[in-house]
């Protein structure tokens, strides 16, 4: 690495703003194209309520997203709900994350390393993915970088003025994603790292901390209090993570790739190789950077290992999508590794390899069906449907009507139960076919939409529909759901209705 250039605040800010603008443009390109995901439907379901209705819902589900839903409600109440407005805050958050990485990398290494780190962050496939969803992942990714940056600044420029910003950002980060609190042990231990100059006495009133580190430590602890209360409140809503499977050898084998670059192992390997080069450079240039290796490696690795360990010995909590708040560490280390390459032409080639490697997944992420197959379902219903066609759908599939109310036509939903506002929940209730069979009387055309995973229930209900005279055709099958169209003639309808009137 060339001789470190002096840190010039103005120059670093210009670079950070440039990377912010570039990232917003990159992540925002085509962000409105993919149909909304099921998680985005949850956001829409939450924010399209009154404040009192939202509060009642949070008593039952998603209390961990209270902060996110509240901010999104204020935003969407002002600008209206569309796919673009739903995702725009996430796009901006990705830009902020990349811009803040520029500043952090410049502080910990050099301005060149900071700039390269920001560019790594901008083209990271996980970043370009979370920017396409109206959820909190992009927000807490940016908040994590901001928190680390504040703690580093607080150590380098000691002042009690850092206490409040550190406390607020800690609470904000944990309020967006409780799992992000796993960063706090790393930061606390780093604050207790040895002082730069050997022989300096540690004073008892500072709890043995090196000078200037008490304020950020107390800020972390103060910010952790509301996060702990939120986690305690959410303990009764653990059913919302029941979908997470226990970690398997296959999932563990992908922990270093899928967490940073979904479906793009080449990008992940390149990024981690550059991060390793950054660690080698750190090992050779430790002067003035004591503790940096622990800070960045701990930030990148500890949260994932902790979640895997908890999932193995207690209850499944590990999901690759939950660890995006550790991306900043990988980006900073990769930027340092790139900057350590002495030959300019080689550094340029390596830097260009990352955007080229991310190009394939970038394109796939911006296809209409990147998140879900709702567009295909809506197109099939629009093409093959008739006005007034009846519908039977189930959770996961029925969420389509939250984001796209007219997607399944205007016919009756035969298995509808209590609506989502009455039951204070994200979704309307859906009843099994057996409970609503009388509603099939007179129905000649029926759309049946079922999650793929519900094979036993689907097989039983389709068998019953055939007994009632329906002929079914599977029109679409995705990884998540099946779309069937059942029809019967007038004569078959009369015989089926007679069967429904016959006891037993």
């Amino acid at each position: 690495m060339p001789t470190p250039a002096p840190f010039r605040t103005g120059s670093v800010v210009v670079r950070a703003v440039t990377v912010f603008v570039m990232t917003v443009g990159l992540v925002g390109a085509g962000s409105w194209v993919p149909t909304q995901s099921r998680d985005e439907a949850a956001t829409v379901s939450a924010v399209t309520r009154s404040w009192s209705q939202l509060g009642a819902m949070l008593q039952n589900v998603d209390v961990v997203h209270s902060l996110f839903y509240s901010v999104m409600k204020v935003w969407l109440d002002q600008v209206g709900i569309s796919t673009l407005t739903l995702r725009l805050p996430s796009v901006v958050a990705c830009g902020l994350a990349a811009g803040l990485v520029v500043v952090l990398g410049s502080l910990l290494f050099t301005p060149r390393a900071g700039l390269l780190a920001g560019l790594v962050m901008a083209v990271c496939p996980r970043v370009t993915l979370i920017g396409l969803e109206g959820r909190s992942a992009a927000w807490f990714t940016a908040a994590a970088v901001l928190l680390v940056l504040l703690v580093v600044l607080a150590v380098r420029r000691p002042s009690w003025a850092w206490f409040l910003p550190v406390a607020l950002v800690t609470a904000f980060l944990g309020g967006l994603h409780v799992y992000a609190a796993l960063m706090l042990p790393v930061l606390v231990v780093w604050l207790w790292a040895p002082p730069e100059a050997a022989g300096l006495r540690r004073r008892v009133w500072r709890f043995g901390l090196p000078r200037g580190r008490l304020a950020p430590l107390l800020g972390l602890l103060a910010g952790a209090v509301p996060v702990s209360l939120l986690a305690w409140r959410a303990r009764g809503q653990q059913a919302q993570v029941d979908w997470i499977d226990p970690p398997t050898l296959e999932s563990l084998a992908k922990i270093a790739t899928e967490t940073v670059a979904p479906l793009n192992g080449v990008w992940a390997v390149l990024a981690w190789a550059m991060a390793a080069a950054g660690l080698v450079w750190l090992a050779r240039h430790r002067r003035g950077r004591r503790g940096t290796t622990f800070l960045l490696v701990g930030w990148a690795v500890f949260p994932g290992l902790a979640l895997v360990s908890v999932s193995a010995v207690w209850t499944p909590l590990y999901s690759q999508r939950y660890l995006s708040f550790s991306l900043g560490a990988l980006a900073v280390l990769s930027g340092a590794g790139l900057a350590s390459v002495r030959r300019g032409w080689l550094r340029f080639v390596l830097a260009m390899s990352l955007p080229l490697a991310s190009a394939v997944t970038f394109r796939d992420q911006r296809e209409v069906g990147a998140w879900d197959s709702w567009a295909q379902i809506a197109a099939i219903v629009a093409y093959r449907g008739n006005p007034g066609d009846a519908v039977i759908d189930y959770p996961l599939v029925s969420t389509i009507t939250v984001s796209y109310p007219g997607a399944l036509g205007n016919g009756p939903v035969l298995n509808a139960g209590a609506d989502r506002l009455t039951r204070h929940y994200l979704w309307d209730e859906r009843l099994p076919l057996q409970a609503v069979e009388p509603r099939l009387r007179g129905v000649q055309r029926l759309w049946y939409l079922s999650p793929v995973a519900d094979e036993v229930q689907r097989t039983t209900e389709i068998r019953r529909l055939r007994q009632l005279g329906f002929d079914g055709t599977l029109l679409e099958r995705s990884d998540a759901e099946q779309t069937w169209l059942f029809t019967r003639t007038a004569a078959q309808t009369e015989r089926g209705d007679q069967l429904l009137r016959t006891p037993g």
Side-chain angles (χ1 to χ4, degrees), residues 368-386:
V368 173
W371 285 117
D372 282 296
S373 57
W374 288 355
Q376 294 94 311
I377 295 175
I380 291 169
V381 173
Y383 181 71
R384 296 286 299 268
N386 292 336

Side-chain angles (χ1 to χ4, degrees), residues 221-254:
L221 297 179
V225 172
V227 179
S228 301
L229 295 175
L230 178 63
W232 179 260
R233 174 65 184 85
R235 75 191 190 285
Q237 297 183 1
Q238 289 185 346
Q240 66 189 74
V241 292
D242 282 350
W243 59 271
I244 301 178
D245 295 323
T248 62
L249 290 177
E250 181 180 2
S251 64
L252 294 179
K254 296 179 179 179

Side-chain angles (χ1 to χ4, degrees), residues 11 292 395 450:
S11 174
T292 301
S450 168

